[in-house]
Amino acid sequence: MKDWKKRYDKSIHLFQNGEIDKALIICEKLISENLKNTSALNLKGLLLYIKGDLKSAEAAWKINKDFNDDGISKGYLKDIQKDWERLALYDQALKDIKGMYINDAEKKLSVCSESDFNKINVNNAIAFCFIKKGEYEKAKECIDIVRGIDKNNKVALDNYKVIKEFSEEHKSNINFKLIIIPLIICFVGLVSYLLYKPVSQYISKVRTNYIASKSVKKNETNPTDKTNTNQTTTNNTKQQVPNNSATDKSTENSKQGEAKFPIDQVKAAVNDKDYNKLYTIITSFDKNKLGVNDKIAYNSGEQLLINSGVGTFYDSGRSYFSAKDFAKAKIEFEKASKFSKDTYLNPHIIYMLGATSERLEDYEKALAYYDQYVNNYYSGDYTAECLYKLATINNNSDKTKAKQYAEKISKDFSKSMYYNSTIKDILNIQ
């Protein structure tokens, strides 16, 4: 008796310390040893309930009610129909998120959050919505709720990582050395610049005076040379002038042909977070052809586009997409795509480019983007849908390819809504 109670208390302790899966394992062992352990059955049901496995939670409570006549389980089962409704609402919210209807998803999830059912998944989804809206503090609150229950939850950890990357407000544990040292460097640089300017002017003045005095002395010493030089210059003026003009013109044209990197404009755009201006400048120059100073400015602009610009372009694209302005949406998604390679938004951008191209009836590009998503993110959220699009669109032009994609749906996504009569027709399944 004391042994099971000790293990049960341990499972409670683990649950309270954010290790829900370990707590669940202990409950399973206790129940396997004694089906009449009402406490373990109730706790198992509750843990599954919070994790969102309503069917298994209901089964645990029904066992406790039927075999042990447990009153607590009866209470849990009394209002479970409302939780089934919340589960259906949660599934609808996920579809809204996939369709980028974030506000609609948030309203549904708000209803789902009124109980502890599916608490982990609901709060992860709400956090995602807040991140998409740029409300990082609210997102962090939801993440903290999840990590209080499951501190190693992968989705919550990924969401928190996103906040750290894209929000200045959540750069926690400030390292003051990283602030003070750059300030000292800037101060020293400013003082050096202020001292350098008058000193350089003085040196320049001395140098000019020196050259002038040397020239005067030379002319005074060699008056004959000066006369000869003047005569030679006069005699050859007609021959020399055309050559010098051609050279000057060639040099001038060469300089005009090479656009100067606008380093000051880049710095200003970085300070103002003017992503559109930065995009125009950064995409107009080859970094490998720039000098050191220009390259440093280029890198700072490029990094800002990666860290923040991608999200801004993506959100702008989604707004246009929701408004059915697909041409403008495509422009914004393409801008985001150029700098999204190593960001968490990359799969979403590829999918949205496919969806936008499809709406614009550019099926060739749509297929290319859907294929790119499937090849790079096969375990992603949109894989089944992309395969479905690849199968149905290709069915009008290349039935062999269409069948290949349909077979993948049949094999890997047979329980999804995308394995339907349309796919079965492509596979010639009666």
Side-chain angles (χ1 to χ4, degrees):
M1 180 71 177
K2 290 181 181 180
D3 178 61
W4 83 260
K5 185 68 168 61
K6 186 177 179 180
R7 284 186 287 162
Y8 174 78
D9 289 341
K10 184 179 179 181
S11 68
I12 294 287
H13 178 75
L14 288 168
F15 172 50
Q16 291 173 340
N17 283 276
E19 297 188 86
I20 190 170
D21 289 325
K22 290 182 179 179
L24 194 54
I25 290 170
I26 293 176
C27 287
E28 293 280 11
K29 288 181 178 179
L30 290 172
I31 294 167
S32 66
E33 293 169 4
N34 182 10
L35 197 59
K36 290 187 174 292
N37 193 326
T38 58
S39 297
L41 278 165
N42 279 331
L43 181 57
K44 176 188 175 182
L46 181 61
L47 298 180
L48 292 169
Y49 180 81
I50 291 170
K51 283 170 69 71
D53 189 350
L54 189 57
K55 188 174 181 180
S56 297
E58 185 181 31
W61 290 330
K62 279 186 175 180
I63 290 171
N64 217 10
K65 176 179 77 74
D66 295 338
F67 286 88
N68 302 319
D69 195 28
D70 183 72
I72 295 175
S73 291
K74 291 177 183 178
Y76 284 138
L77 292 167
K78 186 178 180 181
D79 297 322
I80 204 166
Q81 182 55 41
K82 291 180 181 178
D83 293 315
W84 283 111
E85 292 170 4
R86 290 188 181 98
L87 181 60
L89 198 62
Y90 170 74
D91 290 337
Q92 291 172 23
L94 292 185
K95 290 179 182 178
D96 286 340
I97 289 174
K98 286 185 178 182
M100 301 304 157
Y101 302 111
I102 301 301
N103 289 332
D104 292 339
E106 190 180 342
K107 290 176 184 177
K108 293 180 177 71
L109 292 168
S110 178
V111 176
C112 295
S113 67
E114 291 173 357
S115 82
D116 285 335
F117 167 63
N118 205 19
K119 195 169 186 176
I120 294 174
N121 295 325
V122 168
N123 277 280
N124 275 332
I126 295 173
F128 179 82
C129 291
F130 283 138
I131 289 172
K132 301 309 297 176
K133 294 171 69 175
E135 298 179 17
Y136 300 115
E137 191 61 41
K138 290 181 179 179
K140 188 175 182 298
E141 289 174 7
C142 294
I143 293 169
D144 288 341
I145 290 172
V146 174
R147 296 194 67 198
I149 302 167
D150 184 5
K151 63 183 179 182
N152 297 314
N153 185 269
K154 187 178 184 303
V155 176
L157 292 172
D158 288 344
N159 281 338
Y160 188 69
K161 184 179 178 182
V162 170
I163 287 177
K164 288 184 73 177
E165 287 179 347
F166 289 91
S167 169
E168 294 179 0
E169 292 86 353
H170 289 91
K171 290 180 180 177
S172 57
N173 300 324
I174 298 173
N175 189 337
F176 289 99
K177 289 182 180 180
L178 295 178
I179 296 175
I180 294 170
I181 292 173
L183 285 175
I184 293 172
I185 293 171
C186 290
F187 177 75
V188 172
L190 179 61
V191 171
S192 300
Y193 172 76
L194 293 173
L195 291 174
Y196 168 78
K197 195 170 182 181
V199 170
S200 64
Q201 289 175 345
Y202 174 75
I203 292 171
S204 178
K205 187 176 180 181
V206 170
R207 183 173 178 274
T208 302
N209 291 337
Y210 172 76
I211 292 171
S213 63
K214 188 174 181 181
S215 177
V216 169
K217 287 181 180 179
K218 184 176 180 182
N219 289 337
E220 290 175 351
T221 305
N222 300 304
T224 305
D225 293 344
K226 183 177 180 181
T227 303
N228 292 338
T229 302
N230 288 337
Q231 289 175 349
T232 304
T233 302
T234 303
N235 292 336
N236 294 314
T237 298
K238 291 181 180 179
Q239 183 178 356
Q240 292 174 348
V241 169
N243 292 338
N244 288 338
S245 298
T247 304
D248 291 341
K249 189 172 182 181
S250 174
T251 303
E252 185 179 347
N253 289 339
S254 176
K255 287 181 178 178
Q256 289 177 350
E258 296 177 5
K260 184 179 179 182
F261 184 76
I263 188 169
D264 291 333
Q265 291 183 37
V266 171
K267 290 179 179 178
V270 168
N271 289 332
D272 298 337
K273 293 187 177 179
D274 188 340
Y275 304 119
N276 285 311
K277 189 171 184 179
L278 270 178
Y279 176 86
T280 301
I281 296 172
I282 296 301
T283 55
S284 299
F285 288 85
D286 182 352
K287 179 168 65 173
N288 297 321
K289 294 181 179 180
L290 298 177
V292 174
N293 292 335
D294 291 344
K295 192 175 288 187
I296 290 172
Y298 182 102
N299 286 337
S300 68
E302 183 181 46
Q303 197 59 49
L304 183 63
L305 286 172
I306 293 170
N307 291 342
S308 306
V310 169
T312 300
F313 296 143
Y314 177 68
D315 288 339
S316 180
R318 284 194 305 107
S319 297
Y320 284 126
F321 189 91
S322 297
K324 296 186 175 11
D325 192 341
F326 302 118
K328 288 183 179 177
K330 186 168 182 280
I331 292 170
E332 295 301 312
F333 289 136
E334 285 176 342
K335 283 157 67 174
S337 177
K338 284 185 181 293
F339 300 93
S340 69
K341 183 180 178 182
D342 297 320
T343 72
Y344 84 101
L345 282 172
N346 194 50
H348 300 281
I349 291 166
I350 293 171
Y351 168 77
M352 290 307 297
L353 277 168
T356 305
S357 298
E358 186 181 355
R359 299 297 196 287
L360 291 169
E361 297 184 358
D362 188 347
Y363 298 111
E364 187 173 351
K365 281 192 176 179
L367 288 171
Y369 285 122
Y370 289 140
D371 193 53
Q372 183 182 352
Y373 184 93
V374 168
N375 288 333
N376 294 331
Y377 302 102
Y378 199 79
S379 59
D381 295 331
Y382 309 110
T383 305
E385 185 176 351
C386 287
L387 286 170
Y388 185 79
K389 297 289 187 181
L390 287 164
T392 54
I393 295 173
N394 272 306
N395 196 42
N396 296 317
S397 58
D398 190 335
K399 292 191 179 295
T400 302
K401 273 189 177 181
K403 192 168 185 177
Q404 289 173 355
Y405 292 119
E407 285 171 349
K408 288 184 179 181
I409 293 175
S410 173
K411 179 183 177 183
D412 299 327
F413 301 96
S414 60
K415 294 182 180 179
S416 74
M417 64 181 182
Y418 297 105
Y419 186 56
N420 52 30
S421 58
T422 302
I423 295 300
K424 289 177 181 178
D425 286 343
I426 292 173
L427 293 170
N428 295 319
I429 297 175
Q430 300 299 325

